């Protein structure tokens, strides 16, 4: 009798575990779909806001056509609490690419050309080649914006790079924008 009761409890525990697991997975999928920003809004943020923030009047603004991995969703929380972030020393990319026809006011650098400057080459000084090809201009690696429907905040990660920069601090930034009834505004 005790054995039958124990088996019943174990079965019940397995069923509860499966239900909790199913609910957790479905909630995770919903959070992911909530963070996707439609293409119209994404390119509007890039063209009307981000480019104006990163543009340098002295230089041409260059844009890598390959997308960075997006920032953490924590950047879209409506809070003044600073969240400690650990940044990687080099940009990490997704398999996605920007539609260069939809980005205005920048010169697009093909990712294969961009990557070629980081390949070992004993016969050419790649730092000098960068300066010959791009001057002292910076290539901006940009993520697709993530969006939080509850807070109406979108975040875009930007990693700036040029071979003549000192690597380390300040190369990666996250820009946050708020969706209002009139459109977008800097947050």
């Amino acid at each position: 009798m005790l054995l039958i009761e124990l088996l019943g409890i174990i079965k019940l525990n397995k069923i509860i575990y499966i239900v909790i697991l199913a609910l957790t997975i479905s909630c995770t999928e919903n959070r992911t779909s909530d963070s996707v920003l439609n293409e119209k809004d994404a390119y509007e943020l890039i063209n009307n806001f981000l480019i104006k923030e990163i543009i340098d009047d002295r230089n041409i603004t260059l844009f890598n056509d390959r997308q960075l991995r997006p920032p953490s969703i924590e950047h879209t929380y409506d809070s003044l609490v600073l969240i400690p972030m650990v940044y990687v020393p080099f940009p990490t990319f997704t398999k996605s690419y920007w539609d260069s026809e939809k980005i205005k006011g920048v010169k697009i650098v093909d990712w294969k050309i961009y990557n070629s400057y980081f390949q070992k080459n004993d016969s050419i000084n790649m730092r000098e080649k960068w300066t010959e090809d791009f001057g002292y201009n910076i290539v901006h690696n940009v993520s697709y914006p993530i969006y939080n429907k509850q807070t109406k905040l979108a975040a875009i990660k930007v990693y700036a790079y040029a071979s003549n920069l000192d690597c380390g601090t300040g190369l990666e930034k996250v820009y946050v924008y708020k969706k209002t009834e009139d459109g977008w505004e800097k947050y």
Side-chain angles (χ1 to χ4, degrees), residues 161-174:
Y161 190 82
S163 70
N164 48 26
L165 291 178
D166 291 326
C167 291
T169 60
L171 300 179
E172 184 174 334
K173 294 182 182 176
V174 176

Side-chain angles (χ1 to χ4, degrees), residues 111-161:
W111 75 271
K112 289 178 184 174
I113 294 169
Y114 174 83
N115 280 358
S116 72
Y117 290 91
F118 304 99
Q119 305 301 317
K120 184 174 171 129
N121 189 334
D122 293 331
S123 63
I124 299 172
N125 181 329
M126 295 309 284
R127 193 173 199 152
E128 287 178 10
K129 182 163 176 34
W130 179 286
T131 306
E132 286 174 18
D133 294 346
F134 301 119
Y136 292 97
N137 296 306
I138 295 171
V139 172
H140 295 87
N141 304 296
V142 180
S143 73
Y144 195 85
I146 58 168
Y147 182 63
N148 185 326
K149 287 183 179 181
Q150 284 73 35
T151 61
K152 298 186 190 265
L153 293 177
I156 305 170
K157 181 168 53 173
V158 177
Y159 188 98
Y161 190 82

